[in-house]
Amino acid sequence: MKTDSLDWETLAHLLRSDLIAWAYAPSWETREVKNLLRFRISLVRIRTSLKNKVHSVLDRHPVEDNVFRGLTDKFGKTGMKIMRSLELEGNDRAILNGYLDLIEELSRRIAALNKQIKALVKEDEISSYLKSVPGFGDLLGLLLRYEIDNMERFASAKKLCSYVGIVPSTYSSGGKTWHGRITKEGNKWLRWAVIEAVHGAIITSPSLRRYYNRVKQRRGDKAATIALARKLLEIIYHVWKEKRPYYEKELAYTV
């Protein structure tokens, strides 16, 4: 038999009893900033892809590494000038110029977006607290600010970690429970941001670096990265809730 009427009655009962959870809908302003940040990330990824294509073109020719010796960035002003002066056979000279033109245009657009992002951070109190967390600068701090939007949505730091998708998957059968890899469910932009921040946190924070190394010695590199990402989210949760900058302290080994 048809179940439409039964479904309607069930939903009506849940609604009357206030048992249906409200879905979260960000404001227009929040969506605008999120779209801007995601656009900036997409441009950087495109630029990285183009740089890889440049390397492929150069690999087809006997270009000596000493031509770029002493350069910290092959795609800086000096490196770009050197690449434009290289004598390449066939169509590769035009192909390389085309890639370099696109990279320069993308770099101009990314630089303009960076100015917008910096201005937004200056105007936002929460973002200024988040960028104090090791590994988070203007971009990642603002990304967290607007992808989370409202920390009151999460009753605990554990709930935030679950939303980001960096908690272990759980399987139960026959009264036994196993924990597997992280779920990778939830907000992929937040997950990318916090994993990206791990590398900077290891470099800039002595206590977070020691915490990472302790986990790495016992469980390996990948597990240490995920453990530190969760620790960063816990820090972010408390910095946001307490509205204060991060301060360095020793972390207990609990994962």
Side-chain angles (χ1 to χ4, degrees), residues 4 7 19 32 35 42 66 76 80 84 93 119-120 122 124 139 152 162 203-204 218 221-222 231 242 244 249:
D4 291 355
D7 291 341
L19 295 175
E32 283 289 286
N35 289 337
S42 69
N66 59 13
M80 295 287 276
R84 289 194 182 277
R93 178 66 269 166
L120 287 169
K122 285 182 179 180
D124 189 84
L139 173 66
E152 297 303 320
S162 180
I203 295 171
T204 58
R218 294 189 56 180
D221 201 4
K222 290 184 178 179
K231 188 62 68 176
E242 297 168 21
R244 59 166 176 81
K249 66 177 181 179

Side-chain angles (χ1 to χ4, degrees), residues 59 62-70 74:
D59 288 343
V63 178
E64 299 292 337
D65 287 340
N66 59 13
V67 174
F68 301 102
R69 186 169 295 166
K74 184 182 290 186

Side-chain angles (χ1 to χ4, degrees), residues 129 133 235-246:
Y129 296 143
V133 179
I235 293 170
I236 286 161
Y237 182 83
H238 292 292
V239 163
W240 189 319
K241 295 281 280 189
E242 297 168 21
K243 294 186 177 180
R244 59 166 176 81
Y246 168 81

Side-chain angles (χ1 to χ4, degrees), residues 10-23:
T10 301
L11 288 172
H13 173 70
L14 292 172
L15 185 61
R16 183 173 61 251
S17 304
D18 196 25
L19 295 175
I20 297 179
W22 289 94

Side-chain angles (χ1 to χ4, degrees), residues 32-50:
E32 283 289 286
V33 177
K34 286 166 66 173
N35 289 337
L36 184 72
L37 295 171
R38 293 175 182 183
F39 175 56
R40 193 265 186 196
I41 292 168
S42 69
L43 292 187
V44 171
R45 289 175 177 174
I46 294 169
R47 184 176 63 178
T48 300
S49 176
L50 289 170

Side-chain angles (χ1 to χ4, degrees), residues 101-166:
D101 289 344
L102 290 171
I103 289 170
E104 287 180 341
E105 177 59 27
L106 284 171
S107 295
R108 283 192 289 270
R109 291 177 180 268
I110 291 167
L113 288 169
N114 289 343
K115 289 182 180 179
Q116 283 185 262
I117 290 168
K118 190 175 289 291
L120 287 169
V121 171
K122 285 182 179 180
E123 297 172 358
D124 189 84
E125 180 185 19
I126 297 298
S127 295
S128 65
Y129 296 143
L130 295 181
K131 66 177 288 189
S132 72
V133 179
F136 292 89
D138 288 333
L139 173 66
L140 295 183
L142 195 66
L143 182 69
L144 258 74
R145 165 68 179 87
Y146 280 92
E147 290 292 341
I148 295 172
D149 194 29
N150 183 2
M151 194 61 82
E152 297 303 320
R153 300 160 58 195
F154 306 103
S156 65
K158 187 176 180 180
K159 296 288 186 183
L160 176 61
C161 291
S162 180
Y163 175 71
V164 176
I166 57 170

